[in-house]
Amino acid sequence: MQTSTLLAVLLSAAALAPAAMAQGPKPASPAAARKAPRTAFGQPDLQGLWTNATITPLERPTKYGERLVLTPQEAAAAEGDRDKEVANGLKPSTDLDKKEIATCEVKGFSGVDCGYNAFWVDPGTKVMRVGTEARTSLITSTPEGKIPPLTAAGQARVAQRAKLRATGKAFDGPEFLSLGERCILSFSSSAGPPMLPLLYNNNYQIVQTPDAVVIEVEMVHDTRVIRLNGKHGPAGVRQWMGDSIGHWEGDTLVVETVNLRPEQAFRGASGDVKVIERFTRIGPRQIKYDFTIEDPASFTRPWGGELAMTATKGPLYEYACHEGNHAMEGILAGARLQEKQGKAVGPAAEEEGGQ
């Protein structure tokens, strides 16, 4: 490029910079300047061991408003707080220390639900960085970084699930317990779609063939098989992790998943949810992962976000969880005790007002 042409380009970029800054930070570009490496059969190479562990939440804390990117000082402060939590978790503790049990240092848990402190979990110690941007939330599709409101049908579905637990029906039999408790699928949405980080075991291994992309998920040892350039099966055939069909758009793997089982509902989604995912290699050690959730029966509008999957050392160890695990006996013991006492449980208890 001639010097005069280069100068004109730089001046034009400088003139546009104030307007771009006024609009606020934008998600990182889906394509990097570098060319993605190729497999032996010519596809962009996503293979390897990756982690999406992060202390960045799915939804943006209100204090950040519509700001997507943390300042370096804010990112350092958040990571410093996490380091302190881990250090506190390493300290000796008293089993019957009521104050410790009440706080337990694991966000979202308290009281008898404090099964472990910060020492026993591994959500990561760093905020989510996509490219070089330290993010305030994983959700990027809404200005405030929040999941959009549920529809009336979605609210009713969530309320019904809450009622099951409130009446005790959730502990009547294993079929009412969560998929994670039953060791059928990962807790939360680690296996996906969408594939999102959680308290621990946030590792994945990707293997490619000319006809498929296979993702082994550490949590509960799930395996997703994404068929390339295929067609979805019948709508009546519901599968764990859904029916995923992928295709390449340049260096980006685009995956559409439908036909999820209704038991795998994510954040109030129905069994008719559609999830669109995009995997793009943006550096030697990073894949940018985008997801969009479309479910008019549950959410007032589509929503989604993006995060980074960062290269990590292996191997990926087996998560030796299996259906009908020994803890199931303890989980269901309360309902069995009620039966011995002549009290109704499950559907009958619901009819009697949950007594």
Side-chain angles (χ1 to χ4, degrees):
M1 182 181 292
Q2 295 182 353
T3 303
S4 58
T5 303
L6 176 60
L7 180 59
V9 171
L10 293 175
L11 289 174
S12 297
L16 292 173
M21 292 176 64
Q23 296 175 5
K26 299 293 184 182
S29 172
R34 64 186 297 278
K35 186 74 172 176
R38 258 40 185 184
T39 64
F41 38 87
Q43 295 176 0
D45 195 348
L46 303 176
Q47 297 180 110
L49 293 159
W50 309 91
T51 179
N52 60 8
T54 183
I55 59 174
T56 299
L58 176 65
E59 295 188 276
R60 186 175 307 144
T62 304
K63 65 180 179 180
Y64 296 120
E66 296 187 0
R67 189 153 56 90
L68 177 63
V69 181
L70 292 166
T71 66
Q73 294 77 16
E74 290 170 332
E79 292 168 351
D81 289 343
R82 174 58 188 163
D83 289 340
K84 292 177 183 177
E85 290 177 353
V86 174
N88 286 334
L90 289 169
K91 294 178 181 178
S93 59
T94 303
D95 291 341
L96 299 179
D97 187 334
K98 294 182 179 180
K99 181 178 180 181
E100 180 184 343
I101 292 174
T103 56
C104 80
E105 297 176 348
V106 179
K107 294 179 176 62
F109 297 88
S110 62
V112 295
D113 287 330
C114 288
Y116 30 53
N117 62 16
F119 170 78
W120 297 103
V121 298
D122 186 24
T125 59
K126 303 295 183 182
V127 300
M128 178 57 65
R129 288 177 173 82
V130 180
T132 59
E133 292 184 348
R135 297 296 179 80
T136 56
S137 64
L138 303 185
I139 293 180
T140 58
S141 61
T142 59
E144 70 282 1
K146 305 283 189 184
I147 297 174
L150 289 167
T151 62
Q155 292 176 32
R157 194 181 309 113
V158 170
Q160 178 62 22
R161 292 171 187 157
K163 183 179 179 181
L164 290 178
R165 287 194 171 273
T167 59
K169 184 177 180 180
F171 302 104
D172 182 34
E175 64 274 12
F176 294 114
L177 296 175
S178 74
L179 301 179
E181 289 170 319
R182 296 170 64 189
C183 295
I184 293 177
L185 276 185
S186 62
F187 293 89
S188 188
S189 191
S190 179
M195 302 192 310
L196 300 176
L198 67 167
L199 282 178
Y200 45 65
N201 299 113
N202 295 297
N203 298 314
Y204 304 82
Q205 183 169 8
I206 299 179
V207 177
Q208 293 172 238
T209 74
D211 302 316
V213 176
V214 180
I215 303 176
E216 183 180 356
V217 185
E218 181 180 23
M219 179 60 86
V220 191
H221 214 59
D222 298 321
T223 302
R224 288 186 66 191
V225 179
I226 301 168
R227 296 178 290 122
L228 298 179
N229 303 315
K231 295 182 179 180
H232 290 299
V237 179
R238 303 283 178 162
Q239 304 178 50
W240 299 119
M241 296 176 285
D243 180 18
S244 297
I245 301 295
H247 68 275
W248 292 99
E249 293 183 1
D251 285 352
T252 297
L253 173 66
V254 181
V255 181
E256 179 183 272
T257 301
V258 296
N259 298 343
L260 283 88
R261 291 179 64 94
E263 301 97 320
Q264 201 183 339
F266 173 68
R267 295 285 179 141
S270 72
D272 295 325
V273 64
K274 178 193 293 186
V275 183
I276 307 295
E277 302 163 283
R278 291 176 171 82
F279 300 77
T280 309
R281 189 80 174 262
I282 61 173
R285 294 180 50 80
Q286 197 172 81
I287 293 173
K288 187 167 77 71
Y289 172 74
D290 297 85
F291 67 93
T292 301
I293 294 175
E294 300 177 1
D295 187 4
S298 301
F299 301 105
T300 52
R301 61 182 183 275
W303 61 278
E306 63 182 17
L307 51 89
M309 301 178 71
T310 303
T312 187
K313 294 181 179 179
L316 188 69
Y317 292 101
E318 178 188 4
Y319 188 96
C321 187
H322 59 89
E323 188 174 0
N325 63 74
H326 294 295
M328 195 64 63
E329 180 180 352
I331 293 173
L332 302 177
R336 305 292 77 79
L337 178 60
Q338 285 183 315
E339 289 172 343
K340 289 180 180 179
Q341 294 173 341
K343 297 179 180 180
V345 296
E350 186 175 347
E351 293 174 3
E352 296 176 11
Q355 300 300 316

